[in-house]
């Protein structure tokens, strides 16, 4: 049997040549792992560490095939908060040991593809590293308050016909009512974010109630899709500093407010978006108003004619949005609640 030494992700691997099993995998393989601290992985950045915790929660739910009722419990699992704690780089991902928890999970491995932008590039395989956007003019369309049983599917057809992906910030009670539509949003290559359970003003209901709104909506989205949403957008854009610290998602705001909810006029919606959009803009619209959905084909056509490329929020922010921060456009962010 021949062995061959390779260098992958900074690790020395001994790979067996030949001897494939029925599954097409090497019959035997030996590898070395590398122990690192979270401080090394994140360059001592607490927001990056919070992003690792976000990925770990999904990994715990996935590993245990947890039902949606367990989502609140995953937020009670004690995950690393100190930079001196250690994890292990392996060929399949970042392996973390866990403290005793209600899921009876002692260890999880976080896939490198889910750690893009969360840990430093040098600890990632090349395929998972961040890189500059390819286009000079980019814009992200975002739609709030859905899913709507009629208008959201109509919008999805428009996006598909124009080869455009967008980010949908959905209300939990509507997700629970129309889970198939939320699944369709994701299946079409779009993103789904958290927009609270029933759209209250977070700055008025208090931190505890706001956090509960987010977790309840995470639960609804997980029930519909099997995935926790990565992003959160507070209703009206209002969020306090305390809420920003406790909500475990990056906060996505906007730089272009179409005010479509007030205009309710397709031509005015079009003009509102076109006049304000710049490269790197995050555009706020709603997929619960017919004039808004009707405006989208023209908005896409005219912005494409100006040389714009449409991207998701993740792509616009180069996969680097982090919990505890709020984002208004590409390169425009600050601490959540400030």
């Amino acid at each position: 049997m021949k062995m061959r030494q390779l260098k992958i992700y900074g690790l020395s691997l001994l790979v067996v040549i030949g001897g494939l099993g029925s599954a097409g995998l090497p019959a035997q393989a030996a590898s070395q792992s590398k122990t690192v601290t979270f401080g090394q992985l994140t360059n001592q950045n607490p927001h990056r560490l919070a992003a690792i915790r976000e990925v770990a929660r999904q990994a715990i739910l996935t590993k245990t095939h947890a039902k949606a009722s367990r989502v609140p419990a995953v937020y009670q699992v004690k995950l690393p908060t100190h930079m001196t704690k250690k994890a292990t780089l392996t060929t399949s991902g970042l392996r973390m040991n866990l403290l005793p928890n209600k899921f009876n999970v002692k260890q999880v491995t976080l896939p490198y593809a889910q750690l893009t932008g969360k840990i430093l590039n040098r600890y990632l395989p090349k395929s998972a590293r961040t890189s500059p956007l390819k286009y000079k003019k980019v814009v992200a369309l975002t739609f709030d308050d859905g899913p709507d049983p009629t208008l959201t599917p109509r919008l999805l057809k428009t996006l598909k016909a124009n080869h455009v992906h967008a980010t949908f910030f959905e209300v939990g009670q509507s997700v629970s009512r129309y889970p198939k539509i939320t699944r369709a949003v994701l299946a079409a290559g779009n993103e789904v974010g958290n927009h609270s359970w029933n759209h209250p003003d977070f700055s008025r209901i208090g931190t505890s109630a706001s956090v509960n709104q987010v977790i309840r909506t995470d639960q609804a989205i997980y029930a519909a899709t099997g995935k926790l949403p990565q992003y959160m957008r507070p209703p009206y854009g209002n969020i306090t500093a305390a809420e920003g610290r406790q909500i475990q998602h990056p906060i996505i705001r906007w730089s272009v407010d179409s005010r479509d909810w007030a205009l309710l006029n397709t031509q005015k919606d079009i003009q509102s978006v076109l006049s304000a959009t710049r490269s790197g803009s995050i555009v706020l619209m709603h997929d619960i108003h017919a004039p808004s959905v009707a405006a989208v084909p023209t908005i896409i056509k005219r912005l494409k004619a100006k040389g714009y490329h449409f991207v998701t929020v993740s792509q616009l922010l180069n996969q680097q949005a982090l919990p505890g921060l709020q984002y208004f456009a590409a390169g425009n962010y600050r601490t959540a609640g400030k």
Side-chain angles (χ1 to χ4, degrees), residues 166-338:
T167 303
F168 291 71
F169 290 93
E170 298 190 338
V171 175
Q173 62 181 6
S174 295
V175 175
S176 292
R177 194 172 297 134
Y178 309 113
K180 290 184 179 180
I181 300 177
T182 297
R183 287 194 290 274
V185 169
L186 279 183
N190 304 290
E191 295 180 327
V192 171
N194 184 317
H195 195 44
S196 81
W197 176 256
N198 59 0
H199 212 278
D201 185 336
F202 281 10
S203 65
R204 295 184 178 182
I205 66 174
T207 301
S208 178
S210 297
V211 171
N212 286 338
Q213 284 266 331
V214 173
I215 293 177
R216 191 176 181 186
T217 303
D218 280 358
Q219 189 172 349
I221 293 173
Y222 179 83
T225 68
K227 302 292 183 182
L228 294 175
Q230 183 175 355
Y231 306 123
M232 195 275 153
R233 173 175 281 168
Y236 315 104
N238 293 339
I239 188 170
T240 66
E243 290 159 357
R245 288 190 296 270
Q246 293 196 33
I247 291 172
Q248 305 296 310
H249 301 297
I251 304 300
I252 307 300
R253 301 282 294 277
W254 57 86
S255 57
V256 176
D257 185 354
S258 67
R259 291 186 56 80
D260 57 346
W261 58 271
L263 298 173
L264 296 177
N265 180 290
T266 296
Q267 292 305 314
K268 290 182 179 180
D269 290 344
I270 293 168
Q271 183 58 34
S272 176
V273 172
L274 294 180
S275 64
T277 296
R278 305 290 183 270
S279 183
S281 291
I282 296 175
V283 178
L284 168 63
M285 298 185 73
H286 298 78
D287 55 331
I288 60 169
H289 303 306
S292 305
V293 172
V296 173
T298 301
I299 289 171
I300 291 174
K301 180 180 178 179
R302 293 189 182 178
L303 286 177
K304 280 188 173 182
K306 293 182 178 182
Y308 281 92
H309 292 265
F310 290 86
V311 294
T312 63
V313 164
S314 289
Q315 293 168 330
L316 185 79
L317 301 178
N318 204 15
Q319 314 292 333
Q320 296 185 74
L322 303 173
L325 301 175
Q326 57 181 342
Y327 297 82
F328 298 84
N332 182 357
Y333 65 93
R334 60 176 181 262
T335 301
K338 295 184 179 180

Side-chain angles (χ1 to χ4, degrees), residues 57-77:
R57 294 186 187 98
Q58 178 66 55
I60 292 168
L61 294 172
T62 300
K63 183 172 183 175
T64 60
H65 305 285
K67 295 182 178 180
S69 60
R70 302 300 307 280
V71 168
V74 84
Y75 284 97
Q76 303 303 316
V77 175

